[in-house]
Amino acid sequence: MRIRPATPADLGALTEIYNHYVVHTPITFDIKPVTLDDRRAWLDAHPATGRYRLLVAEATEGGVLGYASSGPFKSKQAYETSVETSVYLAPDHTGRGLGALLYRALFDALATEDVHRAYAGITQPNVPSMRLHERFGFTPAGLLEQVGRKFDTFWDVAWLEKRLD
Ligand SMILES: CC(C)(COP(=O)(O)OP(=O)(O)OC[C@H]1O[C@@H](n2cnc3c(N)ncnc32)[C@H](O)[C@@H]1OP(=O)(O)O)[C@@H](O)C(=O)NCCC(=O)NCCS
C-alpha cells in the first residue's frame, strides 16, 4: 500500500467510494450521488502543493482503498488559514487503521503550509471517525443539533478543531 497525491485516473474510484456514503449513510449531507464531472472539479481544486490536498491510499496490486482531503473551510478570505479535512475509506477497508495512515500523511503534508486550524464536521453518531479525529488531536468545537435532514431524519453534526501551529 502507498499513499500519494490523487490524479485524474483516480476519479472513478474516488467517486464510487464517496457515492457509497452518499447513498447509504448520513455521514455526508450530499443526498444525490455526485457525477464524475462534479468530482473532476473537486479533484482539480486539490493540487499536489498548497493547503488543499487530496491523498489516496493505493493497494500494492492497484486500486484505490480510500482518500483524505483538506479543502476550504469557508470562502471569505480571512478563513484561508483554516481547512476542513475529511477521510473516506472504501467500505471493505475500514477498521484496519488505514484512516490513520491517510490522516498522518495529510497532516505531514500540511505541516509546511500556511494552515493554522483544521476542522471536521462529523454526523452523529460515528464512533470510528470521532476516535480517529481525537487521536489526531482534534477537540470539540461545538455541536449543531439536527442541522441536516437526510432519510427523513434530522442529524446532529459535531464540529472538531485541530491546531496546526
Ligand atoms: C472513519 C474512518 C476514516 C476511520 O478509519 P479506520 O481505518 O476505519 O479507523 P480505525 O480502524 O483506525 O479505527 C479508528 C478508531 O475507532 C475505533 N472503532 C472502529 N470501529 C468501531 C466501532 N464500531 N465501535 C467503537 N469503536 C470503533 C477503533 O478501535 C479505533 O480506535 P482507537 O483510535 O482508539 O484505536 C473509516 O472508518 C471510514 O472511512 N468510515 C466511513 C466514512 C467516514 O465516516 N468518514 C469520516 C467522515 S467525518
Side-chain angles (χ1 to χ4, degrees):
M1 199 277 298
R2 72 180 177 124
I3 293 176
R4 57 166 176 77
T7 73
D10 300 317
L11 261 181
L14 293 170
T15 304
E16 189 178 339
I17 291 170
Y18 184 66
N19 279 340
H20 169 83
Y21 296 104
V22 172
V23 170
H24 297 291
T25 78
I27 289 170
T28 166
F29 281 177
D30 274 324
I31 289 180
K32 292 184 189 147
V34 297
T35 65
L36 284 177
D37 280 344
D38 295 333
R39 283 275 115 169
R40 192 170 288 112
W42 169 78
L43 189 140
D44 289 346
H46 293 80
T49 58
R51 294 187 179 97
Y52 307 134
R53 302 290 185 107
L54 175 56
L55 300 177
V56 300
E58 180 182 47
T60 313
E61 62 276 19
V64 173
L65 308 177
Y67 65 90
S69 66
S70 58
F73 174 62
K74 280 173 87 76
S75 61
K76 290 179 184 164
Q77 197 175 354
Y79 283 115
E80 69 183 2
T81 51
S82 293
V83 294
E84 182 176 348
T85 60
S86 67
V87 51
Y88 285 88
L89 305 182
D92 49 349
H93 288 89
T94 59
R96 291 180 225 163
L98 187 55
L101 293 178
L102 276 161
Y103 249 8
R104 172 52 50 223
L106 178 67
F107 288 112
D108 283 351
L110 293 182
T112 53
E113 301 296 340
D114 183 22
V115 179
H116 191 57
R117 293 285 188 273
Y119 293 88
I122 303 178
T123 308
Q124 297 299 299
N126 186 341
V127 173
S129 184
M130 292 296 282
R131 294 285 287 268
L132 176 68
H133 284 85
E134 284 159 8
R135 199 181 336 148
F136 275 82
F138 282 80
T139 55
L143 179 71
L144 304 188
E145 291 185 354
Q146 302 197 359
V147 66
R149 184 175 60 197
K150 187 169 178 180
F151 309 135
D152 288 326
T153 299
F154 289 104
W155 299 94
D156 297 351
V157 172
W159 279 92
L160 285 83
E161 175 184 52
K162 174 179 166 66
R163 296 176 176 212
L164 283 102
D165 58 16

